[in-house]
Amino acid sequence: MAQFHNVVIVGGGGAGLRAAVAVAEANPLLSVAIVSKVYPMRSHTVSAEGGAAAVIAEDDSLDEHAYDTVSGGDWLVEQDAVEAFVQEAPRELLRLEHQGCPWSRKPDGHIAVRAFGGMKKKRTWFAADKTGFHLLHTLFQSALSYPDIVRYDEWFVTKLLVDDGRVHGVVAIELATGRIETIIANAVIVCSGGCGRVFPFTTNANIKTGDGMALAYQAGAPLKDMEFVQYHPTGLPFTGILITEATRAEGGWLLNKDGYRYLQDYDLGKPTPEPVLRSMELGPRDRLSQAFMHEHAKGRTIETPYGPIVHLDLRHLGASVIDSKLPFVRELCSKYQNIDPVKELIPVRPVVHYMMGGIHTDIDGATPLEGLYAAGEVACVSINGANRLGSNSLPELLVFGARAGKAAAEYVQSLQTGPRSVVYKQGDDEERRLRHELGRHDDGTERIADIRTEMQSTMEEGAGIYRDGNSLEKAAVKLHELRERFERAAIDDHSSTFNTEIVAMLELSCMLDVAQSIVACALQRTESRGAHQRTDHPMRDDEKFLAHSLVHRQPDGSGRVGYLPVTITRWPPGERVYGR
Amino acid sequence: MSTITMEVTRYRPGEDSEPTVQSYEVPLRKEWAVLDGLNHIKDHLDGTLSYRWSCRMGICGSCGMTVNGRPVLSCASFLVDYAPGPVRVEPLRNFPVIRDLVVDISDFMEKLPRVKPWLIADPPEEGEFLQTPEEMDEYKKYSMCINCMLCYSACPVYALEPEFLGPAAIALGQRYNLDSRDHGAEDRRDVLASAEGAWACTFVGECSTACPKGVDPAGAIQRYKLTAAVAAMKDFLMPRGARR
Amino acid sequence: MTAYRQHIPLFWWLRQWSYLVFVLRELSSVFVAWFVVYLLMLVSAIGDGTYADFQAWSGHGWVLVLNVVALAFLLLHAVTWFALAPRAMVVPHVPPWVVLVAHYLAWIVLSAGVAWVVLLR
């Protein structure tokens, strides 16, 4: 027995919930379902801390937000998409305000904004330092007022059904029961988020395994700009827990082992006691993480059992600023690091945080595969280019979640025909494959966790903040080997009830695909731009590479890389200038 | 390296008629949360152990468990605090157990929409609702609920009367009632002021003790009782006039 | 799906001090009811002119014990009730402890009033 919906959304985080509501509002007669491997309020949007950028202040302008975004992305940015984004972002954040989001306020009751990295004006809306949490719960709770949105909570999507160049639905497992179901849909919107877990040290939650990227990739849709992996400069050692950029926006300093604000040595401006926009600690994330690597090479970081660190100093902000603007940071530091940032320095190091790349979509979230849409971190429009600016991702998932939902709703209304029987057969085949996976023998020679750990260290060594042809070649070979070993992986658990081991295995399969696509794109791009830094090609090469990488999956899992020119409307490529 | 024993409740439907306890030795490291111990078991000792987790920073609400008898987030409770052990890890109480440490929270998911946890108001034509920081403080702590279910696990009323709406759901209803932008208190009253709502609470107070986010659901409920009582009194004295 | 229903042990309320207090407070309602009955008996005795009999009966050891126990439970009830007052009554610009203290003051004043009526008049 199959289930039927007009639109199925994979993922119940910020983008998925926004898309579902957009579909419901576009046409209340459409049946829309959210299929998510966790309850929606557990989605990783919940972990976003610092804020959401949208022009609201009197002294600010859409053009300035657009320019900051384009230059922050090192011009690998679709400028028409950015123009739409900056224009629609304020509307989306206001909409959330009207739904109850507790945005922090000025004393007069208006929305407050804070500074953020790479932004020339204060334009980041925030709900203290739990912005993602409040945004997600507001979206989820207000989505509950649409009783017609069907939810498949804790269902894991394993396959997109494709026939005749068109997407016709998904196959998914209900975790609680092991039931495998074919869910037919006229359109599918993938909103499943990023893939930080491909790397060993990440701010990303355990669920961020690139499932949606892999689903689309396997179904024939290309991934875009996968070599651009954002390292956030300030994660806690060992856990990788994010310490928000808002700490620096409120005036925090980055200090090396000599207590020196080392960013001044890396063309990021001169240190001042008060934070200066687009300068020093408020530079873009790629440049700050790269500066850390240079400090480390100079021996000016501090060695710890969990890798080299520098210090984030918030002490001069005082308890009242920290408690009102950064309470979660204080809570996290106390719980996970046993320190009080009011009195002590916070140890931090760069940590994998965000995928600029993702499923290739147009400005409406449509992929080249008919009926398939994507929005949020899983997608690549691209407004983020080679480096995303902090606080652009939350408005992005709202703006493009809404756009994808609207576009999908329009698309399904134009459809005349349903799926052919071959689609149902695909569903049955997938069910058989999954049953077979479940039955993998105990006598397999490989453990899932071992392969995963090796994949993660391969990515860190081969495709970290700095890469070169050699390291990437090695990583490609190693990933190929891991792919073979994966075929021999065993699982201990053969139960059909909440089998988290088979989920881990399916996730690992997705991560291997994503890892290979990252390495394939990184190998081909013989230049340095934004977050992609090749030590063997240290310069930006606009002649050849002012273009998006597009990678198609080959049957053996390897990626075939091509290029797509960048849309430039008003901001010709220039130098990225910070602090001068 | 020193180790600690983790005694983990196992329940495999179809195999076990009731839960059993399985012991594992895991490394005792000062940074390790109880969750890291479970992950060590899952990755290296026994792939069949099932539990939920995601953000490992105490904000997604997935990893609630009963550790040494107390409901906690396993990502925010540390093995060294239970040394020398053993550490007893059980599923959250008061919920049906699906498997091992995974409990069925569909009861809460069904109850939550009943309190209408969304803003009921006509938005201004232009711009935002104005709300001063002081007005926000009125409801802010109740908006911090991560739906981790620790409060339900700690609540004996919920154990004895499963119909009880429960601490988190009522606190979330109150969160919107106390929001200066909201006009939905009357719409929520039938549910919140029912016998299964605030009045079922007998103020044990353990929900607020268990809450990892300082929400104080017990306070929210007591506060609502007073509001409901005053409203009921008004209805009684002024049958028509008092209702908005 | 055959989920396992966790059973509640008979002595679950001994697991934690707060649970025990909760159960004792629930139990206190029985003694509140007893005080009401006792009061009605008193009123009825005065009305019937059998107050002396009532006094004699009240002097019985077991009635004394019962009333002492009932008093203890009523105190428990009142104290725990007052303890939650500041959380139920959130008065703007008034710190919670003031609400608590106000409750105790009101209690003392009312008790003094009753004592004055009973003992001095």
Coordinates of all heavy atoms in Angstrom, one line a residue, chain A residues 248-291:
Chain A
R248 N 31.8 37.8 19.2 CA 32.7 38.8 18.7 C 32.0 40.0 18.3 O 32.5 41.1 18.3 CB 33.5 38.2 17.5 CG 34.5 37.2 17.9 CD 35.1 36.4 16.8 NE 34.2 35.3 16.4 CZ 33.9 35.0 15.1 NH1 34.3 35.8 14.2 NH2 33.1 34.0 14.9
A249 N 30.7 39.9 17.8 CA 29.9 41.0 17.5 C 29.7 41.9 18.7 O 29.6 43.1 18.6 CB 28.6 40.6 16.9
E250 N 29.5 41.3 19.8 CA 29.3 42.0 21.1 C 30.7 42.6 21.6 O 30.7 43.3 22.6 CB 28.7 41.2 22.1 CG 27.3 40.6 21.8 CD 26.2 41.7 21.6 OE1 26.4 42.9 22.1 OE2 25.2 41.5 20.9
G251 N 31.8 42.2 21.0 CA 33.1 42.8 21.4 C 34.1 41.9 21.8 O 35.2 42.3 22.3
G252 N 33.9 40.6 21.6 CA 34.9 39.6 22.0 C 36.2 39.6 21.1 O 36.1 40.1 20.0
W253 N 37.3 39.2 21.7 CA 38.6 39.2 21.0 C 39.1 37.8 20.8 O 39.0 37.0 21.7 CB 39.6 40.0 21.8 CG 39.3 41.5 22.0 CD1 38.5 42.3 21.2 CD2 39.6 42.3 23.2 NE1 38.4 43.5 21.7 CE2 39.0 43.6 23.0 CE3 40.3 42.0 24.4 CZ2 39.2 44.6 23.9 CZ3 40.4 43.1 25.3 CH2 39.9 44.3 25.0
L254 N 39.8 37.6 19.7 CA 40.6 36.4 19.5 C 42.0 36.6 19.8 O 42.7 37.5 19.3 CB 40.4 35.9 18.1 CG 39.1 35.2 17.8 CD1 38.9 35.0 16.3 CD2 39.0 33.9 18.5
L255 N 42.6 35.8 20.8 CA 43.9 36.0 21.2 C 44.8 34.8 21.0 O 44.3 33.6 21.2 CB 43.9 36.3 22.8 CG 43.0 37.4 23.3 CD1 43.1 37.5 24.8 CD2 43.4 38.8 22.7
N256 N 46.0 35.0 20.6 CA 46.9 33.8 20.5 C 47.5 33.5 21.8 O 47.2 34.1 22.8 CB 47.9 34.0 19.3 CG 48.9 35.1 19.6 OD1 49.0 35.5 20.8 ND2 49.7 35.5 18.6
K257 N 48.5 32.6 21.8 CA 49.1 32.2 23.1 C 49.8 33.3 23.8 O 50.0 33.2 25.0 CB 50.0 31.0 22.9 CG 51.3 31.3 22.3 CD 52.2 30.0 22.5 CE 53.6 30.3 22.0 NZ 54.5 29.2 21.9
D258 N 50.2 34.3 23.1 CA 50.8 35.5 23.8 C 49.8 36.5 24.2 O 50.2 37.6 24.6 CB 51.8 36.1 22.8 CG 52.8 35.1 22.3 OD1 53.2 34.2 23.1 OD2 53.1 35.1 21.1
G259 N 48.5 36.3 24.0 CA 47.5 37.2 24.4 C 47.4 38.3 23.4 O 46.9 39.4 23.7
Y260 N 47.8 38.1 22.2 CA 47.9 39.1 21.1 C 46.7 38.9 20.1 O 46.4 37.8 19.7 CB 49.3 38.9 20.4 CG 49.5 39.7 19.1 CD1 49.7 41.1 19.2 CD2 49.5 39.1 17.9 CE1 50.0 41.8 18.1 CE2 49.8 39.8 16.7 CZ 50.0 41.1 16.8 OH 50.3 41.9 15.7
R261 N 46.1 40.0 19.7 CA 45.0 39.9 18.8 C 45.5 39.7 17.4 O 45.7 40.6 16.6 CB 44.1 41.2 18.9 CG 43.3 41.2 20.2 CD 42.5 42.5 20.3 NE 41.4 42.6 19.4 CZ 40.6 43.7 19.3 NH1 40.9 44.8 20.0 NH2 39.6 43.7 18.4
Y262 N 45.8 38.4 17.1 CA 46.6 38.1 15.9 C 45.9 38.4 14.6 O 46.6 38.4 13.5 CB 46.9 36.6 15.9 CG 45.7 35.7 15.9 CD1 45.2 35.2 14.8 CD2 45.1 35.3 17.1 CE1 44.1 34.3 14.8 CE2 44.0 34.4 17.1 CZ 43.5 34.0 15.9 OH 42.4 33.1 15.9
L263 N 44.6 38.7 14.6 CA 44.0 38.9 13.3 C 44.6 40.1 12.6 O 44.5 40.2 11.3 CB 42.5 39.1 13.4 CG 41.7 37.8 13.9 CD1 40.3 38.1 14.1 CD2 41.9 36.7 12.9
Q264 N 45.1 41.1 13.4 CA 45.7 42.2 12.8 C 46.9 41.9 11.8 O 47.2 42.7 11.0 CB 46.2 43.2 13.8 CG 47.3 42.6 14.8 CD 47.6 43.5 15.9 OE1 48.1 44.6 15.8 NE2 47.1 43.1 17.1
D265 N 47.4 40.7 11.9 CA 48.6 40.3 11.0 C 48.1 39.8 9.7 O 48.9 39.4 8.9 CB 49.4 39.3 11.7 CG 50.1 39.8 13.0 OD1 50.0 41.0 13.2 OD2 50.7 39.0 13.7
Y266 N 46.8 39.7 9.5 CA 46.3 39.0 8.3 C 45.3 39.9 7.5 O 44.3 39.4 7.0 CB 45.5 37.7 8.8 CG 46.5 36.8 9.5 CD1 46.5 36.8 10.9 CD2 47.4 36.0 8.8 CE1 47.4 36.0 11.6 CE2 48.3 35.2 9.5 CZ 48.3 35.2 10.9 OH 49.2 34.4 11.6
D267 N 45.7 41.1 7.4 CA 45.0 42.0 6.5 C 43.5 42.1 6.9 O 42.6 42.1 6.0 CB 45.1 41.6 5.0 CG 44.7 42.7 4.1 OD1 44.6 43.9 4.5 OD2 44.4 42.4 2.9
L268 N 43.2 42.2 8.2 CA 41.9 42.2 8.6 C 41.6 43.5 9.4 O 40.6 43.7 10.1 CB 41.5 41.0 9.5 CG 41.2 39.8 8.6 CD1 41.4 38.5 9.5 CD2 39.8 39.8 8.1
G269 N 42.6 44.4 9.4 CA 42.4 45.7 10.0 C 43.2 45.8 11.3 O 44.0 44.9 11.6
K270 N 43.0 47.0 12.0 CA 43.8 47.2 13.2 C 42.9 47.0 14.4 O 41.7 47.3 14.4 CB 44.3 48.7 13.1 CG 45.3 49.0 12.1 CD 46.7 48.7 12.6 CE 47.7 48.4 11.4 NZ 47.6 47.1 10.8
P271 N 43.5 46.6 15.5 CA 42.7 46.3 16.7 C 42.2 47.6 17.3 O 43.0 48.6 17.4 CB 43.6 45.6 17.6 CG 45.0 45.9 17.1 CD 44.9 46.2 15.7
T272 N 40.9 47.6 17.7 CA 40.4 48.8 18.4 C 39.7 48.1 19.6 O 39.2 47.0 19.6 CB 39.3 49.5 17.6 OG1 38.4 48.6 17.1 CG2 40.0 50.3 16.5
P273 N 39.5 48.9 20.7 CA 38.8 48.3 21.9 C 37.3 48.0 21.5 O 36.8 46.9 21.9 CB 38.8 49.4 22.9 CG 39.8 50.5 22.4 CD 39.9 50.3 20.9
E274 N 36.7 48.8 20.8 CA 35.3 48.5 20.4 C 35.3 47.8 19.0 O 36.1 48.1 18.2 CB 34.5 49.9 20.2 CG 34.3 50.6 21.5 CD 33.5 49.8 22.6 OE1 32.5 49.3 22.2 OE2 34.0 49.7 23.7
P275 N 34.3 46.9 18.8 CA 34.2 46.2 17.6 C 34.0 47.2 16.4 O 33.2 48.1 16.5 CB 33.1 45.2 17.7 CG 32.3 45.7 18.9 CD 33.2 46.5 19.7
V276 N 34.7 46.9 15.3 CA 34.4 47.7 14.1 C 33.9 46.8 13.0 O 34.4 45.7 12.8 CB 35.8 48.4 13.6 CG1 35.5 49.1 12.2 CG2 36.3 49.3 14.6
L277 N 32.8 47.2 12.3 CA 32.2 46.3 11.3 C 33.1 46.0 10.2 O 33.9 46.8 9.7 CB 30.9 47.0 10.8 CG 29.8 47.2 11.8 CD1 28.9 48.4 11.5 CD2 29.0 45.9 12.0
R278 N 33.0 44.8 9.7 CA 33.9 44.2 8.6 C 35.4 44.4 8.9 O 36.2 44.8 8.0 CB 33.5 44.9 7.3 CG 32.4 44.2 6.5 CD 32.1 44.9 5.2 NE 33.1 44.6 4.1 CZ 32.8 43.8 3.0 NH1 31.5 43.4 2.8 NH2 33.7 43.6 2.2
S279 N 35.7 44.2 10.1 CA 37.1 44.4 10.5 C 37.5 43.4 11.6 O 36.6 43.1 12.5 CB 37.3 45.8 11.0 OG 38.6 46.0 11.5
M280 N 38.7 43.0 11.7 CA 39.3 42.2 12.8 C 38.4 41.0 13.1 O 38.1 40.2 12.2 CB 39.5 43.0 14.0 CG 40.7 44.0 13.9 SD 42.3 43.1 13.8 CE 42.5 42.5 15.4
E281 N 37.9 40.9 14.3 CA 37.1 39.8 14.8 C 35.7 39.7 14.0 O 35.0 38.7 14.0 CB 36.8 39.8 16.3 CG 38.0 39.3 17.1 CD 39.0 40.4 17.4 OE1 38.8 41.5 16.9 OE2 40.0 40.1 18.1
L282 N 35.4 40.8 13.4 CA 34.2 40.8 12.6 C 34.5 40.7 11.1 O 33.7 41.1 10.2 CB 33.3 42.1 12.8 CG 32.7 42.1 14.2 CD1 31.9 43.4 14.4 CD2 31.7 40.9 14.3
G283 N 35.6 40.0 10.8 CA 35.9 39.6 9.4 C 35.1 38.4 9.1 O 34.3 37.9 9.9
P284 N 35.2 37.9 7.8 CA 34.4 36.8 7.4 C 35.0 35.5 7.9 O 36.2 35.4 8.3 CB 34.5 36.8 5.9 CG 35.7 37.5 5.6 CD 36.0 38.5 6.7
R285 N 34.2 34.4 8.0 CA 34.6 33.2 8.7 C 35.8 32.5 8.0 O 36.7 32.0 8.6 CB 33.5 32.2 8.8 CG 32.4 32.7 9.8 CD 31.2 31.9 9.7 NE 30.2 32.4 10.7 CZ 29.0 32.0 10.9 NH1 28.5 31.0 10.1 NH2 28.2 32.5 11.8
D286 N 35.8 32.5 6.7 CA 36.9 31.8 6.0 C 38.2 32.4 6.3 O 39.2 31.8 6.6 CB 36.6 31.8 4.4 CG 36.4 33.2 3.8 OD1 36.1 34.1 4.6 OD2 36.6 33.3 2.6
R287 N 38.3 33.8 6.3 CA 39.5 34.5 6.5 C 40.0 34.2 8.0 O 41.2 34.1 8.3 CB 39.4 35.9 6.2 CG 39.1 36.2 4.8 CD 40.4 36.3 3.9 NE 41.2 37.4 4.4 CZ 41.1 38.7 4.1 NH1 40.2 39.0 3.2 NH2 41.9 39.6 4.6
L288 N 39.0 34.2 8.9 CA 39.4 34.0 10.3 C 39.9 32.6 10.6 O 40.9 32.4 11.3 CB 38.2 34.3 11.2 CG 38.2 35.7 11.8 CD1 38.1 36.8 10.7 CD2 37.0 35.9 12.7
S289 N 39.3 31.6 9.9 CA 39.8 30.2 10.1 C 41.1 30.0 9.5 O 42.0 29.3 10.0 CB 38.7 29.3 9.5 OG 37.6 29.3 10.3
Q290 N 41.3 30.7 8.3 CA 42.6 30.6 7.7 C 43.7 31.3 8.5 O 44.8 30.7 8.6 CB 42.6 31.2 6.3 CG 41.7 30.4 5.3 CD 41.1 31.2 4.2 OE1 41.5 32.3 3.9 NE2 40.1 30.6 3.6
A291 N 43.4 32.4 9.1 CA 44.4 33.1 10.0 C 44.8 32.1 11.2 O 46.0 32.1 11.5 CB 43.7 34.3 10.6

